[in-house]
Amino acid sequence: MLGPVILAASRSDRMRRLVSAAPVTKQVVDRFIPGEDVDDIVPVVRGLADNGLELTMDVVGEDITTPAQAAAARDAYLELVDRLKPLELGPRAEMSVKLSMFGQALPSPTTALFEGPSGPTRTFQDGHELALKNVRPVVEAAAEIGTTVTLDAEDHTTLDSMFAIHEELRKDFPQTGCVIQAYLFRTEDDARRLAASGSRVRLVKGAYKEPASVAYQDKHEIDRAYVRVLRTLMEGKGYPMIGSHDPRLIAIGQELAHQAGRKLDEYEFQMLYGIRTDEHLRLASEGHRMRVYTAYGTDWYGYFMRRLAEKPANLRFFARSMITKG
Protein backbone atom coordinates (compact mmCIF):
# COMPACT_ATOMS: atom_id res chain seq x y z
CA MET A 1 0.00 0.00 0.00
CA LEU A 2 2.87 2.39 0.69
CA GLY A 3 4.52 1.86 -2.70
CA PRO A 4 2.35 4.37 -4.62
CA VAL A 5 2.75 6.93 -1.83
CA ILE A 6 6.54 6.66 -1.95
CA LEU A 7 6.55 6.87 -5.74
CA ALA A 8 4.49 10.04 -5.54
CA ALA A 9 7.00 11.40 -3.01
CA SER A 10 9.81 10.69 -5.46
CA ARG A 11 8.39 13.52 -7.62
CA SER A 12 7.92 15.95 -4.74
CA ASP A 13 10.42 18.78 -4.36
CA ARG A 14 9.30 19.26 -0.76
CA MET A 15 9.97 15.61 0.11
CA ARG A 16 13.29 15.79 -1.72
CA ARG A 17 14.34 18.66 0.53
CA LEU A 18 13.14 16.93 3.72
CA VAL A 19 14.83 13.61 2.94
CA SER A 20 18.05 15.23 1.72
CA ALA A 21 18.29 17.37 4.86
CA ALA A 22 17.90 14.46 7.31
CA PRO A 23 21.27 13.87 9.06
CA VAL A 24 21.10 10.11 8.59
CA THR A 25 20.13 10.14 4.92
CA LYS A 26 23.62 9.94 3.44
CA GLN A 27 24.52 6.94 5.58
CA VAL A 28 21.39 5.11 4.45
CA VAL A 29 21.70 6.17 0.80
CA ASP A 30 25.25 4.81 0.77
CA ARG A 31 23.77 1.33 1.17
CA PHE A 32 22.24 1.61 -2.30
CA ILE A 33 24.50 4.18 -4.01
CA PRO A 34 28.19 3.66 -3.23
CA GLY A 35 29.53 6.92 -4.60
CA GLU A 36 28.89 10.30 -6.15
CA ASP A 37 31.50 10.33 -8.92
CA VAL A 38 33.53 7.99 -11.08
CA ASP A 39 36.50 8.12 -8.69
CA ASP A 40 34.26 6.65 -5.99
CA ILE A 41 32.93 3.90 -8.22
CA VAL A 42 36.15 2.44 -9.68
CA PRO A 43 37.23 0.75 -6.40
CA VAL A 44 33.69 -0.64 -6.04
CA VAL A 45 33.90 -2.10 -9.54
CA ARG A 46 37.21 -3.73 -8.74
CA GLY A 47 35.93 -5.15 -5.47
CA LEU A 48 32.80 -6.68 -6.98
CA ALA A 49 34.75 -8.14 -9.90
CA ASP A 50 37.32 -9.64 -7.54
CA ASN A 51 34.44 -11.48 -5.82
CA GLY A 52 33.34 -13.09 -9.08
CA LEU A 53 30.47 -10.68 -9.70
CA GLU A 54 29.56 -8.78 -12.84
CA LEU A 55 28.20 -5.24 -12.97
CA THR A 56 25.91 -2.92 -14.80
CA MET A 57 26.48 0.71 -13.91
CA ASP A 58 23.97 3.54 -13.84
CA VAL A 59 24.83 7.22 -13.56
CA VAL A 60 21.74 8.40 -11.68
CA GLY A 61 19.74 11.44 -12.73
CA GLU A 62 16.46 11.72 -14.62
CA ASP A 63 15.13 15.26 -14.23
CA ILE A 64 16.71 16.61 -17.40
CA THR A 65 15.27 19.93 -18.54
CA THR A 66 17.80 21.24 -21.09
CA PRO A 67 19.83 19.83 -23.99
CA ALA A 68 22.98 20.87 -22.13
CA GLN A 69 22.06 18.63 -19.20
CA ALA A 70 21.41 15.75 -21.61
CA ALA A 71 24.84 16.28 -23.17
CA ALA A 72 26.40 16.33 -19.70
CA ALA A 73 24.78 12.96 -18.95
CA ARG A 74 26.25 11.57 -22.16
CA ASP A 75 29.67 12.89 -21.20
CA ALA A 76 29.40 11.32 -17.72
CA TYR A 77 28.92 7.92 -19.32
CA LEU A 78 31.78 8.51 -21.74
CA GLU A 79 34.00 9.32 -18.76
CA LEU A 80 32.88 6.06 -17.15
CA VAL A 81 33.87 4.14 -20.28
CA ASP A 82 37.32 5.78 -20.19
CA ARG A 83 37.79 4.68 -16.57
CA LEU A 84 36.58 1.13 -17.27
CA LYS A 85 38.95 0.62 -20.18
CA PRO A 86 42.16 -0.04 -18.16
CA LEU A 87 40.29 -2.50 -15.92
CA GLU A 88 39.86 -4.79 -18.95
CA LEU A 89 36.66 -6.35 -17.63
CA GLY A 90 34.93 -6.46 -21.01
CA PRO A 91 31.28 -7.57 -20.80
CA ARG A 92 31.63 -8.23 -17.06
CA ALA A 93 31.14 -4.46 -16.59
CA GLU A 94 28.40 -3.01 -18.76
CA MET A 95 26.25 0.12 -18.42
CA SER A 96 22.54 0.84 -17.96
CA VAL A 97 21.06 4.09 -19.25
CA LYS A 98 17.72 5.82 -18.90
CA LEU A 99 16.86 7.66 -22.10
CA SER A 100 15.20 10.41 -20.05
CA MET A 101 18.74 11.38 -19.03
CA PHE A 102 19.69 11.77 -22.69
CA GLY A 103 16.85 14.18 -23.46
CA GLN A 104 14.01 11.84 -24.45
CA ALA A 105 11.32 14.05 -22.89
CA LEU A 106 12.67 17.40 -24.10
CA PRO A 107 10.81 19.42 -26.74
CA SER A 108 12.27 19.07 -30.20
CA PRO A 109 11.79 21.38 -33.19
CA THR A 110 11.58 18.43 -35.56
CA THR A 111 9.59 15.25 -35.97
CA ALA A 112 11.62 12.07 -36.41
CA LEU A 113 10.54 8.94 -38.27
CA PHE A 114 11.89 5.58 -37.10
CA GLU A 115 11.11 1.95 -37.64
CA GLY A 116 9.76 0.59 -34.37
CA PRO A 117 8.11 -2.43 -32.75
CA SER A 118 4.57 -1.10 -33.17
CA GLY A 119 4.73 -0.84 -36.93
CA PRO A 120 7.00 -0.32 -39.93
CA THR A 121 7.25 3.41 -39.21
CA ARG A 122 6.55 5.34 -36.02
CA THR A 123 6.46 9.09 -35.63
CA PHE A 124 8.19 10.41 -32.52
CA GLN A 125 8.31 13.99 -31.42
CA ASP A 126 9.81 15.59 -28.34
CA GLY A 127 13.33 14.42 -27.53
CA HIS A 128 13.39 11.01 -29.20
CA GLU A 129 15.89 12.05 -31.84
CA LEU A 130 18.01 13.91 -29.27
CA ALA A 131 18.11 10.85 -26.99
CA LEU A 132 19.24 8.64 -29.88
CA LYS A 133 21.89 11.18 -30.85
CA ASN A 134 23.23 11.29 -27.28
CA VAL A 135 23.12 7.59 -26.47
CA ARG A 136 24.75 6.37 -29.70
CA PRO A 137 28.30 7.57 -28.83
CA VAL A 138 27.99 5.86 -25.43
CA VAL A 139 27.04 2.57 -27.11
CA GLU A 140 29.88 3.01 -29.60
CA ALA A 141 32.43 3.71 -26.86
CA ALA A 142 31.21 0.71 -24.85
CA ALA A 143 31.64 -1.56 -27.87
CA GLU A 144 35.19 -0.31 -28.34
CA ILE A 145 36.18 -1.62 -24.88
CA GLY A 146 34.34 -4.90 -25.38
CA THR A 147 31.20 -4.22 -23.39
CA THR A 148 27.67 -3.01 -24.02
CA VAL A 149 24.72 -0.92 -22.85
CA THR A 150 21.23 -1.82 -21.65
CA LEU A 151 18.37 0.63 -22.08
CA ASP A 152 16.36 0.85 -18.86
CA ALA A 153 12.58 0.95 -19.07
CA GLU A 154 10.78 3.94 -17.60
CA ASP A 155 7.08 4.75 -17.43
CA HIS A 156 4.77 3.29 -20.09
CA THR A 157 4.49 6.52 -22.11
CA THR A 158 8.20 6.32 -23.03
CA LEU A 159 8.37 2.70 -24.11
CA ASP A 160 7.56 2.92 -27.83
CA SER A 161 10.36 5.47 -28.16
CA MET A 162 12.74 3.31 -26.09
CA PHE A 163 12.05 0.19 -28.15
CA ALA A 164 12.49 2.10 -31.42
CA ILE A 165 15.86 3.44 -30.24
CA HIS A 166 16.79 -0.07 -29.14
CA GLU A 167 16.02 -1.44 -32.61
CA GLU A 168 17.93 1.39 -34.26
CA LEU A 169 21.03 0.80 -32.11
CA ARG A 170 20.96 -2.95 -32.64
CA LYS A 171 21.43 -2.47 -36.38
CA ASP A 172 25.07 -1.61 -35.65
CA PHE A 173 25.41 -2.94 -32.09
CA PRO A 174 23.28 -6.09 -31.80
CA GLN A 175 24.43 -6.71 -28.22
CA THR A 176 22.52 -3.63 -26.99
CA GLY A 177 20.06 -4.75 -24.31
CA CYS A 178 16.72 -3.49 -23.09
CA VAL A 179 14.44 -3.87 -20.08
CA ILE A 180 10.82 -5.02 -19.94
CA GLN A 181 8.48 -4.73 -16.94
CA ALA A 182 6.23 -7.62 -15.92
CA TYR A 183 3.46 -5.47 -14.46
CA LEU A 184 2.54 -3.90 -17.82
CA PHE A 185 -0.16 -5.61 -19.88
CA ARG A 186 1.85 -5.07 -23.08
CA THR A 187 4.93 -6.91 -21.83
CA GLU A 188 3.96 -10.43 -22.85
CA ASP A 189 3.71 -9.28 -26.47
CA ASP A 190 6.99 -7.36 -26.16
CA ALA A 191 8.68 -10.47 -24.72
CA ARG A 192 7.54 -12.67 -27.60
CA ARG A 193 8.93 -10.18 -30.10
CA LEU A 194 12.23 -9.74 -28.28
CA ALA A 195 12.73 -13.43 -27.50
CA ALA A 196 12.70 -14.16 -31.21
CA SER A 197 15.20 -11.45 -32.08
CA GLY A 198 18.28 -12.59 -30.20
CA SER A 199 18.14 -9.58 -27.88
CA ARG A 200 19.55 -9.27 -24.40
CA VAL A 201 16.48 -8.67 -22.23
CA ARG A 202 16.30 -7.82 -18.53
CA LEU A 203 12.96 -8.67 -16.92
CA VAL A 204 11.92 -6.71 -13.83
CA LYS A 205 8.61 -6.38 -12.01
CA GLY A 206 8.37 -2.60 -12.53
CA ALA A 207 8.98 0.37 -10.26
CA TYR A 208 6.86 3.23 -11.63
CA LYS A 209 3.35 4.24 -10.57
CA GLU A 210 1.22 3.05 -13.50
CA PRO A 211 -2.58 3.25 -13.90
CA ALA A 212 -4.82 0.19 -13.78
CA SER A 213 -5.59 0.72 -17.48
CA VAL A 214 -2.06 -0.36 -18.47
CA ALA A 215 -0.65 -2.37 -15.56
CA TYR A 216 -1.48 -5.04 -13.02
CA GLN A 217 -1.93 -3.60 -9.54
CA ASP A 218 -2.04 -6.78 -7.45
CA LYS A 219 1.28 -8.28 -6.34
CA HIS A 220 0.21 -11.85 -7.07
CA GLU A 221 -0.90 -10.92 -10.58
CA ILE A 222 2.44 -9.23 -11.17
CA ASP A 223 4.32 -12.31 -9.95
CA ARG A 224 2.28 -14.57 -12.24
CA ALA A 225 2.92 -12.26 -15.18
CA TYR A 226 6.64 -12.29 -14.33
CA VAL A 227 6.74 -16.08 -14.56
CA ARG A 228 4.82 -16.14 -17.85
CA VAL A 229 7.14 -13.58 -19.41
CA LEU A 230 10.26 -15.28 -18.06
CA ARG A 231 9.14 -18.60 -19.55
CA THR A 232 8.79 -16.89 -22.93
CA LEU A 233 12.29 -15.44 -22.67
CA MET A 234 13.84 -18.73 -21.56
CA GLU A 235 12.20 -20.64 -24.41
CA GLY A 236 13.22 -18.02 -26.96
CA LYS A 237 16.50 -17.26 -28.74
CA GLY A 238 17.55 -14.25 -26.73
CA TYR A 239 19.63 -13.86 -23.60
CA PRO A 240 17.40 -13.49 -20.50
CA MET A 241 18.50 -11.36 -17.56
CA ILE A 242 16.48 -12.12 -14.42
CA GLY A 243 16.11 -8.89 -12.46
CA SER A 244 14.69 -9.93 -9.09
CA HIS A 245 15.54 -10.31 -5.41
CA ASP A 246 12.57 -12.60 -4.77
CA PRO A 247 13.86 -16.04 -3.67
CA ARG A 248 10.85 -17.78 -5.16
CA LEU A 249 11.27 -16.11 -8.55
CA ILE A 250 14.99 -16.86 -8.52
CA ALA A 251 14.24 -20.54 -7.94
CA ILE A 252 11.60 -20.50 -10.68
CA GLY A 253 14.11 -18.85 -13.00
CA GLN A 254 16.61 -21.63 -12.39
CA GLU A 255 13.95 -24.25 -13.07
CA LEU A 256 12.75 -22.57 -16.27
CA ALA A 257 16.36 -22.32 -17.49
CA HIS A 258 16.82 -26.03 -16.79
CA GLN A 259 13.60 -26.91 -18.61
CA ALA A 260 14.71 -24.84 -21.61
CA GLY A 261 18.08 -26.62 -21.70
CA ARG A 262 20.05 -23.46 -21.05
CA LYS A 263 23.63 -23.60 -19.78
CA LEU A 264 24.75 -21.39 -16.89
CA ASP A 265 26.30 -18.86 -19.28
CA GLU A 266 23.13 -18.54 -21.36
CA TYR A 267 21.23 -16.38 -18.87
CA GLU A 268 22.05 -14.33 -15.80
CA PHE A 269 20.67 -12.95 -12.55
CA GLN A 270 20.70 -9.25 -11.73
CA MET A 271 20.21 -7.61 -8.34
CA LEU A 272 20.68 -4.16 -6.93
CA TYR A 273 23.81 -3.08 -5.10
CA GLY A 274 23.24 -3.27 -1.36
CA ILE A 275 20.30 -5.67 -1.42
CA ARG A 276 20.74 -9.40 -0.59
CA THR A 277 24.51 -9.20 -0.94
CA ASP A 278 24.94 -12.73 0.45
CA GLU A 279 22.69 -14.01 -2.32
CA HIS A 280 24.87 -12.28 -4.93
CA LEU A 281 27.87 -14.24 -3.68
CA ARG A 282 25.96 -17.51 -3.32
CA LEU A 283 24.73 -17.49 -6.91
CA ALA A 284 28.18 -16.55 -8.22
CA SER A 285 29.79 -19.34 -6.18
CA GLU A 286 27.40 -21.83 -7.80
CA GLY A 287 28.59 -20.81 -11.25
CA HIS A 288 25.73 -18.49 -12.18
CA ARG A 289 26.36 -15.20 -13.89
CA MET A 290 25.39 -12.67 -11.22
CA ARG A 291 25.35 -9.01 -12.23
CA VAL A 292 25.04 -6.22 -9.66
CA TYR A 293 23.16 -3.09 -10.72
CA THR A 294 25.39 -0.36 -9.29
CA ALA A 295 24.29 3.26 -9.40
CA TYR A 296 26.30 6.34 -8.56
CA GLY A 297 25.98 10.10 -8.86
CA THR A 298 24.79 13.17 -6.99
CA ASP A 299 21.19 13.18 -8.26
CA TRP A 300 20.26 10.11 -6.25
CA TYR A 301 16.84 11.04 -4.87
CA GLY A 302 14.50 9.51 -7.50
CA TYR A 303 16.51 6.30 -7.67
CA PHE A 304 16.63 6.01 -3.89
CA MET A 305 12.87 6.52 -3.45
CA ARG A 306 12.06 3.84 -6.02
CA ARG A 307 14.25 1.40 -4.11
CA LEU A 308 12.17 2.15 -1.00
CA ALA A 309 8.93 1.70 -2.93
CA GLU A 310 9.92 -1.64 -4.46
CA LYS A 311 10.23 -3.53 -1.21
CA PRO A 312 8.84 -2.88 2.28
CA ALA A 313 12.08 -4.16 3.85
CA ASN A 314 13.95 -1.26 2.24
CA LEU A 315 11.52 1.23 3.75
CA ARG A 316 11.78 -0.43 7.18
CA PHE A 317 15.57 -0.24 6.95
CA PHE A 318 15.41 3.49 6.20
CA ALA A 319 12.81 4.23 8.90
CA ARG A 320 14.73 2.23 11.53
CA SER A 321 17.91 4.11 10.67
CA MET A 322 16.12 7.46 10.91
CA ILE A 323 14.86 6.53 14.39
CA THR A 324 18.07 5.08 15.79
CA LYS A 325 20.56 7.53 14.26
CA GLY A 326 18.58 10.68 13.57
Side-chain angles (χ1 to χ4, degrees), residues 260-325:
R262 286 184 177 263
K263 300 176 182 177
L264 291 180
D265 62 353
E266 294 177 340
Y267 65 97
E268 67 182 49
F269 293 98
Q270 294 193 6
M271 298 186 195
L272 297 170
Y273 179 91
I275 300 179
R276 301 200 72 204
T277 301
D278 290 346
E279 184 70 354
H280 302 177
L281 298 173
R282 182 188 72 82
L283 288 168
S285 70
E286 293 179 357
H288 292 285
R289 297 190 68 181
M290 174 63 232
R291 194 176 300 273
V292 182
Y293 191 107
T294 307
Y296 71 99
T298 56
D299 191 12
W300 50 263
Y301 177 75
Y303 177 89
F304 174 66
M305 294 299 281
R306 282 200 302 279
R307 300 295 77 79
L308 297 185
E310 282 175 345
K311 193 174 181 183
N314 296 342
L315 180 60
R316 288 195 297 270
F317 174 83
F318 182 53
R320 186 166 58 248
S321 298
M322 293 283 284
I323 293 169
T324 59
K325 301 182 187 292

Side-chain angles (χ1 to χ4, degrees), residues 95-214:
M95 281 153 283
S96 289
V97 304
K98 289 179 175 59
L99 292 175
S100 60
M101 279 190 68
F102 291 84
Q104 186 186 43
L106 297 183
S108 172
T110 61
T111 296
L113 299 179
F114 289 89
E115 292 184 2
S118 299
T121 304
R122 293 277 299 178
T123 301
F124 295 104
Q125 298 179 356
D126 299 325
H128 176 94
E129 190 173 19
L130 177 63
L132 176 59
K133 177 183 176 182
N134 280 328
V135 76
R136 184 179 288 277
V138 176
V139 175
E140 291 174 347
E144 289 175 1
I145 67 166
T147 190
T148 189
V149 169
T150 295
L151 306 183
D152 277 336
E154 300 182 71
D155 75 83
H156 77 278
T157 64
T158 69
L159 295 184
D160 280 341
S161 171
M162 185 273 280
F163 284 129
I165 289 175
H166 176 241
E167 291 299 317
E168 189 71 18
L169 292 170
R170 290 194 71 239
K171 293 175 182 178
D172 297 316
F173 306 98
Q175 70 274 28
T176 305
C178 70
V179 176
I180 56 177
Q181 302 168 102
Y183 68 170
L184 295 175
F185 299 150
R186 65 173 290 170
T187 298
E188 292 186 60
D189 287 337
D190 289 331
R192 283 189 285 271
R193 172 177 57 82
L194 292 165
S197 71
S199 295
R200 296 171 59 256
V201 183
R202 180 197 304 148
L203 174 63
V204 299
K205 289 184 179 181
Y208 291 83
K209 179 174 169 50
E210 298 284 14
S213 59
V214 301

